[in-house]
């Protein structure tokens, strides 16, 4: 479609009633490496693909703690995401200070979404180019939200965003109904397996992924490398179990595993597009 | 018509005296999933089509409570709509606080419309891309208003907005004269049937639609899933009754049912236009 | 004439010394349904064509009370007009409060015109797209003014604006010299007949038109449906009288009646141009 | 000359060192109906051509009183002119209040010119589109100034601006040396005859022209219709006298009378250019 | 040279390191009628060509008094020049008030130049289009400065600016070395003869030129018409003397006199470029 | 790729979800001469290639001290970098003053990154065109960060930026695993050898490179020329040692040495692109 | 190279990571007449080529005193340079007032550079178009800095900027190593000879050049014409000496003397580019 007239300015509507600049910013989320979130009855787990921009560097942080009970995984322009995290942290502190109670996750998510909406309606700004998976626990239990550059947010049972996230999403869609009753450790293993789907040909190691957990009995924290590696080591068994629990998987998983990367390959960020997270 | 010269800026008039950007924003309302409103002598009912953006997510909220006696259903860019809801809530609270009386629905609707008008006359903003069905009850009885991105508002007996709303509108136009004397429950059933028209081939379930009611004896509230399902379950009977009440319907309904979706199909948002509600 | 270079910005003069954007905004007035005003020695009557945007809606209000002795009928973008009405009301209240006397109509009209002028000289705004017929009574007697988007205003004996207003204007031009001595009720009947000319093939009903009156002995008020209908019912007789009073009419009226709508048809707003009043 | 690159913005110089937008605004003055000013030793007279925009309306006011001793006639965009009049009035009031003496005409004229200059040097504004003939009396005697959209002002013995003003200017140029010693009434008659030249084929009536006088012994005031008509009635005699005083006139006047309108016809504002005064 | 890309905005450098908009503004100075300045050991004389825009008007003032000891002659957009004069006057008053001493001419000239520089570096403004010849006397003796639209200023022995100023400059260049020891009256005569060179075919009269003087023993003042005419009347003798003092002149002067106007003719402002001084 | 539509404004997203202007600013870093950073367990060393813009000038400073324990090496637009250094210094002073403790390096780096992010989201600014290698020591030990124009930052073991940095990066990648246990002096020698790789055909001298160190027992300081030269003089031995430690080097180093400059040659800034550091 | 897309706005990066507008502003420095600076162990000398814009004018000042111990020579847009000088003077006064010590030259130079940097990063401004040679003496001895429009600054032993400065630079490059031990008077003679190289065919006179000195025992001051002429008169001898000191010179100097101007001729500003210094 030829659409060069209406897609350079965030304050310009297309004749079809669309805001192309907002849609393009949503494409920006796909440029970053994948992030995954999923929840059971008691816990929420966030996982991220960590790619170092070079052998010489450590990877860029993609999991951020916001408050005792809230954390975030992000994909897209991490610099934009940091601005939003900073905002979220001060909202939480402010609420705690004024009301002497933690800010409910759902309200925090709305405030972030409102902040993002402003950038979609002013000519001198641009929409944020980052997607946030917000994991939190409040009186209503564990929550997983996705905050999108458009200023929308959605609650999810499980979700994956970023580059080659389709394979992870396929993994999650097949199993998400069993997540509800998973234990914390099973949930972490599912997260790792979903992340693995987005890694294409790479092996899953404690250096190329990250896991964070928040739950009924534990504050939001990021697993250290050792703990993470021990989970990865148990995956072989877990995989087997998972296959048992979902016996129709083998074929479709391998099929999905093949289709995923090849579909994902088309989403691959071009080599020079470096400001995105990796 | 070739009109690329006057349709990129909200402060530019076309030679024919039109504001194309405002019209395009009104197209934005059609990109969201449908919302329906209708009223009888004592109640107003709002209904929405809830589409989850993915199997993994819950649907995005499209029904919002503003005050004890006022609520809103929206179609289009929900992030824009949230900003307006926030504004409406603080107007209600402010009025209650200052005048110790609820803000009449008609005045709230004007204030929202004035806020929307500002965005149609400043070069650094864009018109809101959301349509609001405002249901409210005040001393003058139940009201149903439609607030449009253009800054206009209209009072309706019954109305439907959003994607494939034409089929629902056709349903409403045929029966709206009977609504006045409907009971609350009949009105809810009409709302569900109108929503059903917009669903195309999908079955009506408590997960893909929502109903909210405000009436003489009940505050604005959104029906919980169970209650909603029980209404859906009674629809078969109701449908029969409805058909009796409007005996010329069967042919035209099926005709409308066929024509609606096919006409609606043309309005279908393109697959990549995701910031809209679904 | 090819004029694409000078007509997109309100701060740009054309080489011929014209402001095209202001002229285009004046075209916007013609996009709304017609409004009519006329006065006799003691009263001013405003009339409007009310078109519901759908069978399901009530029509959009086009007659507004500003103060005890002042009211307005509008054509064009009603959302813009509301902003101006709000401004007029606060000017009246302010003047009453400070000077303990009503604001003379002529001064109110100047203030509105000055407010409109500002929008024709700033690059970040657009001219208002609405025409106002201001009816008022002050110590100098009854007045009828027309406030134009250009920031100009004119005093009229009788005037019609909006879509297909030419037919109404023709009616008024033929008879306006007799208006001065009309009674209040005769004036209302003339207003209705003028409105009728703008209705094309539609029948005049209390639901598709509105009448407001302000006069020596009555505050500005909008006639209720019943009263309005009773006036419409007397029109047959009145028409006859009118014809007697202007015996050369029959041919020319029918001619005008034929010519009017067909000329008016060219002015018909395109089907998709919906933010205008209807 | 092809000059589309430098003539859309008031802050852009052309390579030849000209500001085209300012020149275009000066063209705007020619779009309004004519105004004439002339002075003798004791009086200044302003005259205007009044054109009603329709049979139904009164004409738009073009003569404005500023202070006891100062008044204005304008041609071009009257809405812009009103803004300047408002400014002039408050300058006069302020000066009277602070210095307990009337503001000298020459200083008022400079202040208006400075205000106009600002609009020729800011990118977010446009030059005013109105020419002002300022008539005033102060200790230095009677004055006639012309304030131009460019921010310049000139003192004149007699001058005419607006549409078809060339014919009036020709009339004035032939006789202005005799004006100095004219009586007040002779001056008014000259003003009327100059106005007549700009009327083309129309007859001079008290309804299509206006006269204002300020002089040694009378405050600035606009003649009422009756007085004006009585002056018009004496014109036949006056004309004869005038011809005697300038015996070479007959041929040239008729020539000028013919040439004037035909030259003026080219200046005629296009039918749709309505925001100008008429 | 094709240079349309870099010459529409004052904040845009051309690849060659030039600011075209500033250069164009300097062309604006050439559009106004000529002004001349020259000085001897004790006096500075400013002269201007005064052209009335019409037979009916007096000429536009081009000589302005700033302070007791400072005055200005200008060419170009007089409205811009007035703004600068106003600024200069308040700088002088402020300095006198604070330091109880007159502002030295050289510092005033720098302040004006700094004010002009700002307009060459902001995107929302345009450079002033006027050249100022500043004549002043302070403790360091008489000074003649030229303030240019570019924000530069130069001290001159004698200078001429504006339309057809080349002929005057040629006159000055031939004789300026003799000016130093001229008496006040000789200097005035030189000024008049230089002005004469710019008048092309017109005769020098007290109505088409102006002279202002400031000197050791006299405040800045503009000569009245009578005094001016008496100087003009003595020019014949003076001319003869001047020729003796510079015997190689006759040929070159007549040659220059011929070449000057014809070269000047090319600089002639186009007929429609009216906002300039004349 | 043809991409002229989305790459001129930092607030415009490309359809692929990229911000081209941010990517271009990152190219700006490659225009400056190289800078290198590397760390062991106790020290961080920064090195820079110093190129004098002319024989007559000293080189431009590229190593800056921020605080006792923090320093910076930069490549790209040094003027932009200075602004960031100034900001960093006042952040450090402020933190020391308020909390009586040094600002942790990691937090300083985030604050700089947040400042850079702002310039990537406002239409009236441009992203900074400088890359910063931040070396610091805090309670968590030595750190080396890279702050990028995009608002991202990465922690590195060793890194090189700027023109022809690829050769240095290759050198670092081959040996960085041995750096951890290097002594301070060995680390400096590695830094010099890495810098040497970026120098192409030039010899390493104390005048064309710079070294700064921060470590457990020494504040951040830049080595003086003498000390630096003595390190350079020891490099022959060191090189031999290094080759022993990495025996597979000789071939690959020379290969890299050849490939590096030839690849680097393509990155060479064009002769006229002088505002970059050199 | 075709580069019209990225070179009109200072906030736009080119795909190659360059800021063309900044580079163009640096070209602006070459449009002004040359300025030269050089230093020995005890003194700094600034020299300038002074060109009067006309025979009638004195030359424009290009040497400015900032403080007792600091002065400036400039090339390019002198109006821009004046703004920077004003800033420098108030920085010096402020520092003296607050700290009771003179501002070190190096810090002043940074502050000017930071001020220049701001103009390279804001869309509503343009980079300054002037190069400054800053000569100063502080506790660290004599300094010569060059402040560039890009916001960079460099310390130099000797440097030349402006039109035809290449010839002067060549002169300086050949001898600068001997400058260190020159006496004050020898340094002045070198400065004059360097300036001479930039003069092309003109003879060196005290009217077409200027010299300023600051040193261990003398405040910054500009040499008066007499002193300057006496230095010029001694140049013949000096030249001979200089040739002895650098015996390989004769051929290369004459060669350089020939090559310089012809290369410089290409840099010659076009005749109409007048706002530059001359």
């Amino acid at each position: 479609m030829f659409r060069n007239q209406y897609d350079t300015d965030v304050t310009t509507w297309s004749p079809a009633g669309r805001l192309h600049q907002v849609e393009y910013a949503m494409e920006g989320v796909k440029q970053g490496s994948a992030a995954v979130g999923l929840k059971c009855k008691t816990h929420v787990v966030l996982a991220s693909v960590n790619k170092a921009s070079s052998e010489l560097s450590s990877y860029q942080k993609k999991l951020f703690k916001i408050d005792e009970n809230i954390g975030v995984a992000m994909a897209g322009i991490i610099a934009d995401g940091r601005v939003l995290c900073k905002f979220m942290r001060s909202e939480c502190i402010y609420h705690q200070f004024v009301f002497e109670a933690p800010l409910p996750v759902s309200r925090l998510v709305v405030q972030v979404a409102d902040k993002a909406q402003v950038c979609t309606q002013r000519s001198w700004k641009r929409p944020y180019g980052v997607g946030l998976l917000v994991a939190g626990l409040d009186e209503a239990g564990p929550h997983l939200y996705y905050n999108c550059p458009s200023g929308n947010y959605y609650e999810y049972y499980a979700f994956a965003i970023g580059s080659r996230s389709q394979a992870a999403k396929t993994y999650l869609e097949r199993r998400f109904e069993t997540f509800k009753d998973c234990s914390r450790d099973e949930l972490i293993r599912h997260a790792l397996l979903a992340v693995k789907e987005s890694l294409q040909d790479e092996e899953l190691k404690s250096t190329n992924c990250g896991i964070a957990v928040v739950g009924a009995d534990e504050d939001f924290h990021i697993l250290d490398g050792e703990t993470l590696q021990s989970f990865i080591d148990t995956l072989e068994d877990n995989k087997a179990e998972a296959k048992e629990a979902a016996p129709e998987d083998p074929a479709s998983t391998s099929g999905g595993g093949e289709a995923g990367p090849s579909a994902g390959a088309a989403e691959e960020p071009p080599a020079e597009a470096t400001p995105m997270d990796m």
Side-chain angles (χ1 to χ4, degrees), chain A:
Chain A
M1 183 173 55
F2 182 69
R3 55 182 181 191
N4 66 345
Q5 198 159 15
Y6 309 102
D7 68 350
T8 53
D9 196 339
V10 81
T11 59
T12 302
W13 287 94
S14 83
R18 293 164 62 189
L19 295 169
H20 288 297
Q21 273 293 307
V22 174
E23 295 172 24
Y24 295 174
M26 290 164 74
E27 285 298 310
V29 178
K30 296 190 193 152
Q31 301 277 343
S33 63
V36 168
L38 62 181
K39 68 173 181 177
C40 65
K41 267 181 194 160
T42 52
H43 289 78
V44 196
V45 170
L46 296 178
S48 66
V49 171
N50 292 334
K51 271 192 195 159
S53 63
S54 133
E55 214 183 329
L56 297 164
S57 74
S58 65
Y59 56 86
Q60 199 180 21
K61 254 178 89 176
K62 296 187 48 178
L63 299 169
F64 294 86
K65 180 171 186 172
I66 301 298
D67 202 354
E68 294 303 296
N69 59 327
I70 305 179
V72 150
M74 55 178 73
I77 296 192
I78 301 299
D80 286 11
R82 263 198 343 263
V83 173
L84 293 172
C85 281
K86 213 168 160 181
F87 169 77
M88 289 163 91
R89 279 188 200 116
S90 54
E91 288 298 300
C92 285
I93 289 167
Y94 173 81
H95 193 276
Q96 182 72 51
F97 181 80
V98 174
F99 300 103
E100 296 189 343
L103 179 59
V105 188
S106 59
R107 285 192 39 201
L108 177 64
V109 161
V110 173
Q111 280 164 321
V112 172
D114 285 353
K115 191 176 167 66
Q117 190 274 343
V118 170
C119 293
T120 68
Q121 207 185 9
R122 300 292 183 283
S123 61
W124 67 85
K125 284 198 153 188
R126 60 164 175 77
Y128 288 106
V130 70
L132 302 182
L133 289 174
V134 184
L137 194 86
D138 57 21
E139 295 188 353
H143 295 286
L144 176 67
Y145 288 98
Y146 171 50
N147 269 272
C148 167
S150 65
N152 281 326
Y153 65 94
Y154 308 87
E155 184 152 17
Y156 279 92
Y157 307 114
F159 200 48
I161 57 175
S163 167
R164 272 188 246 117
S165 60
Q166 191 50 53
K169 254 188 275 185
T170 307
Y171 176 91
L172 296 171
E173 277 162 11
R174 285 209 186 99
R175 287 165 190 84
F176 81 97
E177 291 181 355
T178 68
F179 292 170
K180 202 166 52 178
D181 300 315
C182 280
S183 71
R184 170 195 183 269
D185 289 2
E186 282 167 358
L187 206 61
I188 292 175
R189 279 185 212 104
H190 278 300
L192 286 169
L193 288 166
V195 159
K196 197 166 188 279
E197 297 290 324
S198 294
L199 280 177
Q200 215 162 352
D201 304 328
E202 252 181 291
E203 199 190 344
L204 191 69
K205 289 176 297 186
S206 67
T207 53
N208 63 4
C209 68
I211 291 283
V213 191
V214 62
D217 45 2
E218 55 184 325
D219 283 350
F220 183 90
H221 65 110
I222 298 165
L223 298 194
D224 57 50
E226 217 168 301
T227 318
L228 181 54
Q229 190 59 47
S230 69
F231 272 105
I232 294 173
D233 295 343
T234 65
L235 278 188
E236 292 308 304
D237 313 344
N238 184 54
K239 212 169 183 177
E241 282 169 38
K243 278 178 185 171
E244 276 170 41
E248 81 287 8
D249 255 1
S252 64
T253 299
S254 63
E258 277 161 37
S262 62
E267 285 174 10
E268 190 81 335
E272 65 272 41
T274 44
M276 301 292 170
D277 73 271
M278 272 172 298

